[in-house]
């Protein structure tokens, strides 16, 4: 299995630009999570989906952030417009959560975002 | 809300020695899971070990073992025979047992291994 795939791995952009982060979960997994890691706040949940449906987006910082999961094999996290304080590592994780609720989450390699 | 606390921002250990990383958590739930994740400089999050709260037996994975004290809400990680490759950030995490819910992470402990 290829594991969770994220792209791009690194992104450098200027303030005000639109940024789109992409995630392909492990095949067969039905839950997908977006986390953000910063020095100040550590690892925090942004949003998660079960069966492509957003369940909890209370961690999304503000309206500049949006996430979609159009099908079971693809999700995007979009920031528009981006700001320097959005600079962080963004992780996508997936898991199998119905028949085996004890299944753990497997993380992608992360996208390191720098907004200048 | 559930919280996870790692009180040791940094730890160090001599190669081949044993080190214990501490973690406490706060929850009113009885059904949950606890995890330790390792994050090396590559930033990849790697699962080290997990513990189901309903199991009294402490989980072990080769050189890694946990001391799970449910009443005290404590979940420490012991690394035996430490190796240079164990140097990393270690995160303790909590997850509700019902349904598929997000992980709640502690702030992490940076482990250095001295040759």
């Amino acid at each position: 299995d290829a594991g969770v795939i994220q792209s791009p791995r690194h992104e450098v952009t200027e303030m005000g630009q639109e940024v789109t982060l992409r995630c392909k979960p492990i095949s067969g997994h039905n839950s997908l999570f977006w986390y953000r890691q910063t020095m100040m706040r550590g690892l925090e949940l942004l949003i998660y989906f079960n069966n492509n449906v957003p369940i909890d987006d209370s961690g999304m910082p503000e309206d500049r952030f949006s996430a979609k999961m159009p099908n079971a094999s693809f999700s995007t996290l979009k920031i528009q417009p981006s700001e320097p304080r959005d600079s962080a590592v963004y992780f996508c994780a997936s898991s199998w959560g119905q028949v085996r609720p004890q299944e753990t989450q497997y993380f992608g390699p992360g996208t390191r975002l720098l907004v200048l | 809300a559930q919280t996870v606390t790692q009180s040791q921002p940094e730890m160090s250990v001599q190669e081949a020695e044993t080190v214990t990383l501490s973690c406490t958590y706060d929850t009113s739930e009885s059904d949950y899971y606890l995890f330790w994740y390792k994050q090396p400089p590559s930033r990849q999050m790697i699962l080290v070990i997990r513990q189901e709260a309903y199991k009294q037996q402490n989980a072990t994975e080769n050189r890694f073992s946990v001391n799970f004290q449910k009443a005290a809400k404590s979940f420490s990680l012991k690394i035996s025979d430490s190796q240079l490759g164990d140097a990393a950030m270690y995160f303790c995490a909590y997850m509700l047992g019902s349904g598929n819910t997000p992980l709640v992470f502690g702030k992490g402990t940076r482990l250095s291994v001295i040759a």
Side-chain angles (χ1 to χ4, degrees), chain A residues 31 35 37 95 104-105 107, chain B residues 35 37 39 44 100 103 107:
Chain A
S31 292
Y35 295 93
Q37 185 178 29
S95 65
T104 195
Q105 294 175 24
F107 283 73
Chain B
F35 304 86
Y37 279 87
Q39 187 179 44
Q44 177 72 50
N100 209 31
L103 291 162
K107 294 295 187 185

Side-chain angles (χ1 to χ4, degrees), chain B residues 61-77:
Chain B
E61 288 288 342
N62 300 314
R63 299 182 295 108
F64 299 87
S65 62
V66 298
N67 184 5
F68 174 47
Q69 300 290 327
K70 191 171 184 178
K73 296 180 181 177
S74 171
F75 183 62
S76 61
L77 175 69

Side-chain angles (χ1 to χ4, degrees), chain B residues 67-115:
Chain B
N67 184 5
F68 174 47
Q69 300 290 327
K70 191 171 184 178
K73 296 180 181 177
S74 171
F75 183 62
S76 61
L77 175 69
K78 185 171 80 171
I79 306 174
S80 304
D81 186 24
S82 297
Q83 301 175 0
L84 295 177
D86 295 334
M89 283 289 289
Y90 286 82
F91 293 95
C92 180
Y94 165 101
M95 183 176 77
L96 275 173
S98 58
N100 209 31
T101 55
L103 291 162
V104 177
F105 287 93
K107 294 295 187 185
T109 297
R110 182 174 301 279
L111 178 67
S112 301
V113 180
I114 304 165

